[in-house]
Each structure stands twice: as C-alpha cells, then as structure tokens.
Amino acid sequence: MPRWLHSGRRRDICALVHEAGEIRAQALKSRLAEHADERVDPRTFRQTLDALENKGFLAARVDGIADVYRLTDEGEKRLLDHYEWLTERIENAAVED
C-alpha cells in the first residue's frame, strides 16, 4: 500500500479535502479536530500538509493570507483506491458473517 496511506491523519485530511473540493488550512484543521475529537497540534498539522504537498497529493494556493488546499489528481486517485480497498474489506466481512 502506498506510504502516505500508513498515516490515518493523512487519510483523514485527504478525505476532508476531497469532501470540500477546496478548503482553507484553518477550516481543515478545525474539521480534523472535530472528527478526531481532540486538539490538533498546529506544528504537526502543518508538517502533515507539507508532506502531502511534497509528495504531490495536495496542492496549495494562497488566498489573501490563507493557504487553500485541494487534492491533486494523484491524491484523489490514491484516496479513491483506498476507499475501494476499504469497501471491499467491509463488504467481504459482511458476506462471511
């Protein structure tokens, strides 16, 4: 499985960006914290965004003073591939029960 998927936080960020289409970093951080039901460390969050951007899964643009993120084609492909894999696991487990 691709290395970026080893991190639940990376998967969650990509899913939230996919849902939004484009999203400001602060709104993304808030949604991630709400989903995780815990505070998100700003430094760790920024490092995760940078890693996803450096690997070509996220693209950023500046809007005023805010960074706005969107999934790249490769990021969307990887996210949807993971979704398909996860769906198969869940459906196979339901059939076996």
Side-chain angles (χ1 to χ4, degrees), residues 6-82:
H6 290 182
S7 164
R9 173 153 297 172
R10 289 181 187 189
R11 286 190 302 263
D12 292 347
I13 286 172
C14 288
L16 290 168
V17 172
H18 178 74
E19 177 184 41
E22 278 195 339
I23 188 168
R24 289 175 179 252
Q26 187 57 45
L28 177 57
K29 184 173 163 280
S30 295
R31 289 183 188 179
L32 184 63
E34 183 180 311
H35 168 70
D37 197 25
E38 66 182 22
R39 179 184 174 277
V40 174
D41 176 66
R43 193 172 120 218
T44 303
F45 175 71
R46 178 57 60 188
Q47 289 171 344
T48 304
L49 291 178
D50 289 346
L52 287 166
E53 191 175 6
N54 289 338
K55 291 189 179 289
F57 303 128
L58 286 183
R61 67 177 176 80
V62 177
D63 182 18
I65 61 169
D67 291 333
V68 179
Y69 289 88
R70 67 170 178 78
L71 281 179
T72 63
D73 290 342
E74 183 63 21
E76 184 171 14
K77 179 189 178 314
R78 298 277 181 107
L79 180 66
L80 295 177
D81 286 349
H82 183 73

Side-chain angles (χ1 to χ4, degrees), residues 84-97:
E84 183 178 315
W85 178 85
L86 186 59
T87 300
E88 288 173 6
R89 306 291 71 75
I90 292 167
E91 288 174 353
N92 287 343
V95 169
E96 293 175 5
D97 287 342

